[in-house]
Structures are given as C-alpha cells and as structure tokens.
Amino acid sequence: MRSTPRLAGIVAGALLLAAAAPMPTIIGHDRELMIRALGSAPARLDVTSASFAAGGDIPREDTQYGANRFPGLAWSAAPRSTRSILVVMQGELVADDPAAGTSVQLVAYNLPADSRGLPAGSLALPPGAAFGPNVHGPAAPYAGPHTHDAARHAYHLQVFALDATLPEGADWAAIKAAAAGHVLAAGDLVGYAAKPADALSPVRLDSGMVSGGTGRDPEITVFKGIPYAAPPVGPLRWRPPAAPAAWAGIRPADRFGPACPQPGGEMAHGLPQSEDCLSLNVWTGAKAGEATKRPVFVWIYGGGFIGGTGASPEFDGEALAKKGVVVVTFNYRVGVLGFLATPDLSRESGHGASGNYGLMDDMAALRWVQRNIAAFGGDPAKVTIGGQSAGAGSVGFLAMSPLAKGLFRAGIAESHARYPRDPALRFLSVSYRPLDGAERAGDAYARAHGAASLAQLRAMPWQQLLEGSDTVDTAVETGTTGKPPLFRPVVDGWVLPHGYAETYARHAQNPITFVAGNNRDETGAVPETAFAPLRAHPMPPRAGMPQVNVSLADYVAAARRRFGPLADTFLALYPARSDGEAAQQNDDAARDSNRVSTWLWGTLWTQGDAKPLYTYFWTHAPPGPDHDLRGAYHGSEIFYAFNSLDAVNRPWTAEDRRIADTMSSYWANIVKDGDPNGPGLPRWPRYSAAEPQVMELGDRFGPMPVASPVKIAFWRRYYATQDAW
C-alpha cells in the first residue's frame, strides 16, 4: 500500500447535499460516524494528537490545503482481551449538522493490540495491518481535510479496540459489519478545519469542476491530471484530439496523469503509461475573486518526439507561479502514436494529410487554455508557449502552422532554432519529414508489424505498436553521423503547409515575440573534463545526436566528410595537431556553428515577423555526478528557467540559486511583457541582424560575440553550399 500522502480534493458534490438527501454510494462517504454506528463501548480510550488539541483547529500542514501530512495520533492502552485496533477519521460534510453525513479521510485496521499510536507525517503500518478505503479510494492511505467552504467542519479521529481482527481487503461496509459487536473500548478526538480564505480550489471548467491542492509553498495551488481531450483510443487513435467527456461533481486533480506510450520508461519518469494520457497540469498563485488576470506559460516537453511527460520534476511550475505566472504543462502523443503517417490515414483525414497528431494535441491543449485558464486566474490573451529540444521544435512548428494562429503571443525555443541551410536541422529534434516519404515509411512500418489495414492497426495493443519505434531515419543525409528519429512532424500541407525555408520566404509564420537559444555543451560539444572519459568509452550514436570527436583522426575524418572542398579552410580556422587540440577545436567549432546558425536563422525570421526576437547562449553546468561529463548539457537550463531547484535532488549551491532566480526572472518577464528585461537584471539586448551578438546566460549574464568575423564568414560560405530545408 502506498504510504506517500497526496494532495487532493474530495470527490463528488456531497457537500451540497441536504440532510434529508440520500448519501452517495461512492466509496469514502457514509451517513453516520463510525463511533455512533458501532454503539456504546464498555471502556474509553483517551485519544490525543501532538498537532492539535481536542476541539482545536487541525493545522493547515495536515490538510490538503497544506502538505497533506498526517497529524499523528496517540491513544491509551487497550483492554487485555483486545485482538486488534481500528482507526477511522471522518469529516462532517455540513458544519453543525452531523446528520448530513460524513467523508472518510482515513481507515487503518488490524493494528496490533498493544499499539499506542500512529506517528505524525508517516503512515507506514506494521505487518498485518492494512488501510481501508477513503474518499480517494483504497490506494491513498490518508486524505487530509479539504473543506469546500469557510465554515469550520468537525473531523473525528476515532480509535476502537476490538476483540477480533477484520477480514483482509474489506471495503467500508464490510469493515463496519465486521467490527459491530466486537468493540471493547473506543475514543474520539475532534478537530476542526475550514477552507482557507486564500484557497482557489475548486474551479469550474467547461467539462466539470476540479479541486487541487497546494504546492510546497501554500500560496501556490496545483492542479494535476486534468483531461484536455478524450482518450485517443480505438477509432480515435491517429485522429485529431476530441473533446473530453464531461463529469459530474468535483473531480480531484491531485495526481499526474499517465505518460503517453513510449519506449522504455526513462523519459516517463516512472509514471504508468497509457493511451489515456492527454491531460495537463496547472500551477497558479491567483486567489479567489482576484480581478487582475495573470499571463500564462504553456510548456511543451522535449524527448525527440519519442518520449517525455509534462510531469517531469524539472518542469515544476511553482517558482514561476510565485513570480506571477500561471504555468501549464501537458502530455501529447509521441512516437508512432503521435506521428505515424500512411496513405490510408491521409485519405480518411479529409485534408489529404497525416502524421501530426502530437502537434494537434499541442493545439488542443492551447485551445483548452483559451477556454478555461481564466478559472485559474490566467489571461487567455497573454499566452506564451515554451519548450526544449523537441518541445522547442514544437514551438517553431506551431509558429509556422496556420491552425495555431492566435493561440499564443510569444514563444520560447530552448535549443535548435536553426538556419534552413544548416544540415544539422535535418537530424536535430526540430527536423521534419515530407509527407510522401513519411507515408512510405509509415506503410512499411505497419506491414512490418503485421497490419494490412487501419482497422488492424487500431486494434493492435500499443505495446506491440511501439516495438522497434525507437529508431532513426537512415534515409536522411546530414553530412555527419547524426540522424533524426523516425517518427517526427510532417510537412503535410495542412498542419504544416511548408518547410522552414519556404515558410520564411513567404513570411507566413505567425507573428509572435520569439526567444531562441542554444547550450554550450550540446550538438557535438562537450565539457573539456569529458575528453578523456569519452576517448576511453565513446558514446554510441543515437537519434538527434552527432558523434563527438575527441581524437585527432576522428576530428579530421569528420571535417573531410562534412565540409568536402571546404575542409582545408575549416581545418585552417580550427587547427589541431593532437588529440587534445582536436577535442578543443571540435568544441569551438560546434559552439560557433550553433550560435552562427541561430543568428542567421534570425535574419530570415525577422523579415517576416516584426515583433521582438531575443537570442541566448547558456553556459552554466548544474552540479551533480554528471557535472564533469556533461557540463552545460542539452536541457541543463530548464532547472534554472523554471527555478525548479527545490523539486529536483541535486547538490545545489548558493550560486545555482542566484542563477536560477535571475534566469527565471527573465522567463517570467518574457511571459508577462514579451521582454526579458526588468529591474535589477543585466540588460538583454534585442536581436539584431546587423550586429552578430548573443546574450550569455549562466556563468555570466551579458552580451557576447556570436563568433569572430572570419569564422562567421566561413559558416556563411559553408551554409550557402547546402540545400535549404
């Protein structure tokens, strides 16, 4: 049985029931208190708690508006003939009216006869004991008080000494029946709780009501696992997301939804996987009745379009919410379930298009935000989208899609906004596929899995569909060892009418404020402390990653392959005569290439979008066991942009916290005003096509050159020899 308390709201609209109405039959509610249902006891148990006095207020920390921490309980010795102890906590649904019914917060039975309490903050039961049901079901050991009005409701912590043990796995009715007639002694401690005046939960959405809980800081309310679309299963598999089903009563938004199906579990962070995965999460500091609406940041996770979840701890939105932003994360379909294209799927679509179901999920989540975010204190007219890696790719694709126009006013792309003639664009997580090639590959994939029709594909278990999906697209020539993932977005003529170069040439992108940047140790660059370990244990190639060259022979061979006739010029600009020099020059070239490519991309982007563009280069390596091997790696900036340090177990220093406060302030300002600058922050200049500079973020904060003029000239010359993508 799980022993970690959960934040949540109680299920159902039972709080509104009149005294004469019948009690709901759902688990976790009952008409009367257990101590009354079992009748008078021959002896009395004295029941106390170190957290509150009898008749006093239960601390917020022990309620679901706080940390949902069990307050702790102690009781006097039971009679000699006692065989087991039963503990039940029930809340009275209507203040001052016990006849209106109760909600069950805790049931623990078959505790040892000589036990004298349950410790505060812990619900680990001794062998032989078990938890019974409460308002959250049998899997949640403790549901702390979560009253839905300002009245003080009584909560009864009842202890019974029984001359019997109760049947294992018993439900509420069976526990009551089995305990009746076996009570030797009983005691009751009564505490009170009310909904705090500053609590936002519950809120009404277009599909029903939800209740949330507080974050680590009680000023922040968190809602988890809210459906924004129907489960894409059966006939809805490989179709645009449909509206979620409405629900009655109050739905507890107290736990993250399952991750969308993906190979392995690393990027799912241990969450269960299910096709019923289209849910989102909201962090807000808004209070009930607050007049001013707050700007909204919607985050799209990375993972190469093959994995990921909006529940990753580094995406914890609490710190940004404390800076006045409503934060939304969500799940979208990935891999074969999110990006399969076939001729049959294109024919049935009505648009002659297929393969972009994950991007359509993004847009469904953004439309949900437009309809519902005001209920959380958010302003639907002030939405910024952001993402890293494939999430950054999604930001760029949504900015290019006419179907997403008007859903957001700004975008933040963390890693890989690239010049269309940069071949790296073909293998990074911002890569796409033309429709005809995607259909051919999808048809071959279906046949390899034994499916001859869409009906057979839709009937196939998702576990079977995923077999072999974590692979690369070998048909794409990149000039390096880098290859893109097989399943990724498709230029289908509908969701994505055109590729990068044609979109920019047509000035067809959606007009938004844009932020884009790269990291020091990504896309072929690594920290200097990693050179020797990588020589001893080379990294195997994987999707979206070029090989890192840390030996002279590999460095020269890679240059010959990549640059062809320009290889001698490259090697003169980045010369090496030893393994050490080669590794360093490989880093310097990769970093220059990344910055120059993004700067050149900006020259095209700003021709079709007059709104501000800001670019950055991230340089700080997070602490931890991977510090020397990974440095300022791909995705390392996320902890700092979210200031989610308290949600992630690393040996953070005071310097990390200073950097995170600065970085997250820039991000909060972008979401609020479309400008990262603000009081006390180093000035971040707006992008200029005439001045090749970029804002360094991390180890220092300030502008830096993109590269030397001669090296910028080389990269321009090289890119001019490449096909536009």
Side-chain angles (χ1 to χ4, degrees):
M1 193 66 73
R2 300 175 71 173
S3 60
T4 302
R6 293 174 176 159
L7 296 169
I10 58 174
V11 182
L15 294 174
L16 306 178
L17 292 171
M23 285 300 297
T25 58
I26 60 172
I27 194 169
H29 290 89
D30 194 62
R31 171 62 68 188
E32 59 184 338
L33 292 168
M34 181 72 91
I35 203 161
R36 293 175 186 156
L38 297 183
S40 59
R44 174 179 174 79
L45 296 175
D46 293 324
V47 183
T48 60
S49 174
S51 300
F52 64 94
D57 290 334
I58 299 173
R60 183 168 179 161
E61 179 76 1
D62 301 321
T63 74
Q64 292 178 51
Y65 293 107
N68 201 41
R69 178 179 179 272
F70 179 64
L73 207 58
W75 52 84
S76 55
R80 287 175 180 264
S81 54
T82 299
R83 293 187 59 194
S84 70
I85 299 291
L86 167 66
V87 178
V88 175
M89 180 178 177
Q90 286 172 277
E92 295 181 1
L93 290 174
V94 178
D96 302 320
D97 187 0
T102 72
S103 59
V104 180
Q105 318 297 129
L106 170 72
V107 177
Y109 63 95
N110 290 344
L111 292 163
D114 59 354
S115 59
R116 298 290 294 273
L118 289 170
S122 172
L123 286 173
L125 297 182
F131 289 111
N134 62 34
V135 292
H136 294 169
Y142 171 65
H146 190 163
T147 55
H148 287 233
D149 56 46
R152 291 176 79 237
H153 292 256
Y155 287 81
H156 295 254
L157 286 89
Q158 307 152 91
V159 181
F160 305 90
L162 307 178
D163 64 3
T165 57
L166 303 184
E168 184 178 351
D171 61 15
W172 177 249
I175 288 172
K176 284 179 65 175
H182 294 281
V183 179
L184 301 176
D188 185 13
L189 171 66
V190 181
Y192 288 84
K195 179 181 179 180
D198 60 356
L200 181 65
S201 170
V203 298
R204 184 177 296 280
L205 311 176
D206 58 1
S207 50
M209 294 187 72
V210 293
S211 62
T214 56
R216 294 178 303 280
D217 186 326
E219 293 298 309
I220 304 303
T221 309
V222 186
F223 300 80
K224 300 176 180 177
I226 303 172
Y228 70 86
V233 298
L236 295 182
R237 185 186 276 177
W238 298 304
R239 292 187 187 274
W247 58 84
I250 301 171
R251 181 187 181 114
D254 63 334
R255 67 194 73 179
F256 292 117
C260 291
Q262 53 197 270
E266 324 71 59
M267 289 187 282
H269 285 270
L271 289 172
Q273 297 182 31
S274 169
E275 283 189 270
D276 185 1
C277 62
L278 300 185
S279 65
L280 52 74
N281 319 295
V282 181
W283 287 259
T284 180
K287 308 305 177 191
E290 189 171 285
T292 303
K293 296 301 181 183
R294 303 182 178 210
V296 182
F297 185 40
V298 180
W299 178 258
I300 308 171
Y301 54 79
F305 293 112
I306 196 71
T309 169
S312 297
E314 61 266 35
F315 310 153
D316 184 280
E318 181 166 315
L320 285 176
K322 290 169 70 173
K323 293 189 175 185
V325 173
V326 177
V327 178
V328 178
T329 69
F330 67 97
N331 294 340
Y332 62 93
R333 284 172 283 181
V334 292
V336 61
L337 292 168
F339 296 97
L340 177 73
T342 72
D344 287 344
L345 284 170
S346 295
R347 278 190 290 271
E348 77 165 20
S349 72
H351 305 282
S354 61
N356 286 318
Y357 309 101
L359 293 181
M360 287 189 272
D361 291 345
D362 298 346
M363 288 184 271
L366 289 169
R367 293 189 188 99
W368 183 96
V369 166
Q370 290 296 311
R371 300 191 307 270
N372 292 291
I373 205 64
F376 301 91
D379 187 343
K382 297 179 179 179
V383 175
T384 295
I385 63 173
Q388 182 267 344
S389 192
S394 297
V395 170
F397 290 131
L398 293 173
M400 293 161 57
S401 176
L403 304 185
K405 188 174 183 178
L407 295 178
F408 54 98
R409 65 173 187 169
I412 302 175
E414 298 179 24
S415 292
H416 300 160
R418 291 295 180 121
Y419 188 52
R421 291 186 181 273
D422 182 351
L425 189 63
R426 304 175 189 178
F427 66 76
L428 297 174
S429 290
V430 288
S431 179
Y432 65 77
R433 299 178 292 168
L435 179 61
D436 57 349
E439 288 180 339
R440 288 194 300 272
D443 216 19
Y445 190 89
R447 290 196 305 272
H449 284 70
S453 67
L454 282 180
Q456 290 178 336
L457 276 175
R458 287 183 167 130
M460 193 176 293
W462 63 259
Q463 293 88 344
Q464 184 178 345
L465 274 170
L466 259 59
E467 293 174 4
S469 63
D470 189 8
T471 188
V472 299
D473 189 342
T474 58
V476 179
E477 177 51 52
T478 66
T480 72
T481 56
K483 296 292 182 182
L486 175 62
F487 292 106
R488 59 196 192 280
V490 178
V491 174
D492 61 354
W494 181 49
V495 176
L496 294 176
H498 311 289
Y500 292 110
E502 189 170 353
T503 298
Y504 303 156
R506 291 169 175 261
H507 298 172
Q509 66 264 47
N510 298 323
I512 60 169
T513 298
F514 214 123
V515 178
N518 303 291
N519 292 9
R520 185 185 65 199
D521 298 316
E522 66 180 3
T523 321
V526 295
E528 286 71 9
T529 48
F531 292 165
L534 287 176
R535 287 191 196 103
H537 303 285
M539 292 190 299
R542 47 173 252 194
M545 295 282 287
Q547 200 74 8
V548 176
N549 300 303
V550 290
S551 72
L552 179 60
D554 287 344
Y555 174 68
V556 173
R560 298 288 179 198
R561 174 183 176 183
R562 182 178 182 185
F563 299 110
L566 294 177
D568 288 337
T569 304
F570 170 83
L571 291 170
L573 285 172
Y574 299 94
R577 293 173 297 178
S578 66
D579 286 350
E581 289 180 353
Q584 185 61 63
Q585 294 288 19
N586 179 85
D587 271 4
D588 292 348
R591 292 164 183 163
D592 287 352
S593 172
N594 294 345
R595 291 190 298 262
V596 172
S597 183
T598 298
W599 179 69
L600 289 174
W601 162 81
T603 65
L604 300 181
W605 180 268
T606 53
Q607 290 175 21
D609 183 2
K611 293 194 174 184
L613 168 64
Y614 297 89
T615 60
Y616 71 86
F617 190 64
W618 170 254
T619 59
H620 182 67
D626 56 359
H627 177 276
D628 290 350
L629 189 61
R630 302 184 69 194
Y633 61 85
H634 187 58
S636 59
E637 81 289 353
I638 298 173
F639 308 115
Y640 301 87
F642 276 83
N643 195 0
S644 56
L645 275 57
D646 289 334
V648 181
N649 184 23
R650 281 180 178 258
W652 306 113
T653 66
E655 178 68 0
D656 289 301
R657 295 191 179 279
R658 183 191 70 81
I659 293 171
D661 183 55
T662 300
M663 185 79 165
S664 61
S665 292
Y666 281 134
W667 259 235
N669 289 342
I670 293 162
V671 177
K672 292 176 183 178
D673 305 315
D675 185 336
N677 296 292
L681 296 174
R683 183 73 185 169
W684 184 343
R686 184 170 168 173
Y687 169 88
S688 170
E691 188 172 2
Q693 66 175 2
V694 62
M695 182 71 174
E696 180 182 351
L697 304 176
D699 286 341
R700 62 179 290 274
F701 291 90
M704 62 176 288
V706 166
S708 68
V710 66
K711 290 179 177 176
I712 292 175
F714 167 78
W715 290 107
R716 278 184 181 272
R717 183 182 172 193
Y718 166 63
Y719 291 143
T721 67
Q722 304 299 302
D723 293 334
W725 190 250

